[in-house]
Amino acid sequence: MQRLMNLIHRLSRDPAKLLSYDEAIRKLITDGVAESVSSALNGSCHQPRVFYLPHQPVYKEEGTTKLRVVFDASAHINGTGSLNDHLWTGANLLPDVLKVLLNFRLGLHGIVADIEKAFLQISLCQEDRDSHRFIWFGSKLTSPSDRPKFTIYRMTRVTFGVNCSPFLLCATIKYHLQLEQKDFPTTCATLLNSIYMDDLVISTDFEQEGKKAKCALKPLTS
């Protein structure tokens, strides 16, 4: 709560930032990326493993997402462990970045792409969602001075800032590529060696081959 109050105080110095941050969190909720704990547990006998995550905005001038809600899974009270302390980071499934970049330089025509909001494409199991709780206003801010009551929310998708999220993303991508390997063997083999986290970099000597690669990717990304 102290981290939350400090965040609100800091954002209040620039009312536009406070309102835009509220809009970003509202979008998480309306998109189903986060949900109210009270509605999710209504009538449930589930005994959750609970952890509350401080959060803050991170601004990025470049790219399509100018403001991202980032959670601090390394936060902890004195004498206790953080969420990250209790999670296994998973095996390193990333390809050799030098190999990826050298392969990219082999062709005359480069193709680059990324997975939009990659972590948020992956659902969290129901029993794990309460360890990704956070607190924010229960209703939309109508003005910079508006202060609705706080509500407890929880993430329903893999969370940016949790140490095992990169492993979950890589494992999910590999899993789906293996499912499609029978129908798209060449494309899947290329992707397995050319995706670093959520970024794809491939190249070809012929423009027509690049167009074919783009068309082949669509069934795998729809």
Side-chain angles (χ1 to χ4, degrees):
M1 285 301 299
Q2 186 62 50
R3 288 275 297 267
L4 177 62
M5 299 309 297
N6 290 341
L7 170 66
I8 294 172
H9 178 71
R10 187 171 73 250
L11 291 176
S12 297
R13 298 172 186 168
D14 188 337
K17 284 189 174 181
L18 176 61
L19 292 176
S20 64
Y21 188 62
D22 180 65
E23 289 178 3
I25 291 184
R26 295 288 144 218
K27 184 166 177 55
L28 294 181
I29 299 164
T30 56
D31 289 349
V33 173
E35 62 186 3
S36 166
V37 169
S38 58
S39 60
L41 296 182
N42 186 25
S44 173
C45 297
H46 173 59
Q47 296 297 320
R49 294 173 295 181
V50 175
F51 202 96
Y52 288 86
L53 299 175
H55 52 90
Q56 64 185 28
V58 171
Y59 300 94
K60 186 178 180 182
E61 294 300 325
E62 299 178 355
T64 55
T65 305
K66 303 298 182 182
L67 188 161
R68 174 178 287 173
V69 179
V70 176
F71 294 87
D72 183 4
S74 295
H76 63 94
I77 300 173
N78 289 338
T80 66
S82 68
L83 178 61
N84 279 344
D85 289 332
H86 294 284
L87 294 174
W88 180 52
T89 57
N92 182 6
L93 300 181
L94 292 171
D96 185 341
V97 66
L98 178 60
K99 183 178 179 181
V100 171
L101 293 175
L102 288 176
N103 285 337
F104 177 64
R105 291 173 60 88
L106 294 177
L108 294 175
H109 303 281
I111 302 172
V112 296
D114 72 346
I115 303 172
E116 183 180 5
K117 299 177 181 176
F119 288 155
L120 301 184
Q121 305 290 344
I122 308 170
S123 294
L124 280 176
C125 292
Q126 286 284 344
E127 58 266 30
D128 294 327
R129 293 180 180 181
D130 285 295
S131 60
H132 294 69
R133 288 188 181 187
F134 66 97
I135 301 172
W136 190 245
F137 298 115
S139 59
K140 182 179 180 180
L141 295 182
T142 57
S143 70
S145 60
D146 187 22
R147 293 294 183 271
K149 290 183 178 180
F150 289 127
T151 294
I152 299 173
Y153 299 97
R154 64 181 190 177
M155 293 294 289
T156 66
R157 309 288 177 85
V158 168
T159 307
F160 191 85
V162 177
N163 61 3
C164 61
S165 295
F167 164 76
L168 294 174
L169 174 61
C170 293
T172 301
I173 292 173
K174 287 180 177 292
Y175 172 77
H176 285 286
L177 288 177
Q178 289 169 356
L179 286 181
E180 301 289 348
Q181 208 159 24
K182 182 178 179 181
D183 295 327
F184 305 95
T186 303
T187 302
C188 289
T190 301
L191 291 177
L192 280 169
N193 296 317
S194 305
I195 290 182
Y196 193 88
M197 287 296 293
D198 59 343
D199 294 310
L200 169 69
V201 287
I202 57 176
S203 63
T204 177
D205 286 331
F206 304 100
E207 184 177 347
Q208 194 60 34
E209 286 186 0
K211 292 180 179 179
K212 288 182 178 180
K214 179 183 176 181
C215 292
L217 287 172
K218 286 185 178 180
L220 302 180
T221 56
S222 60

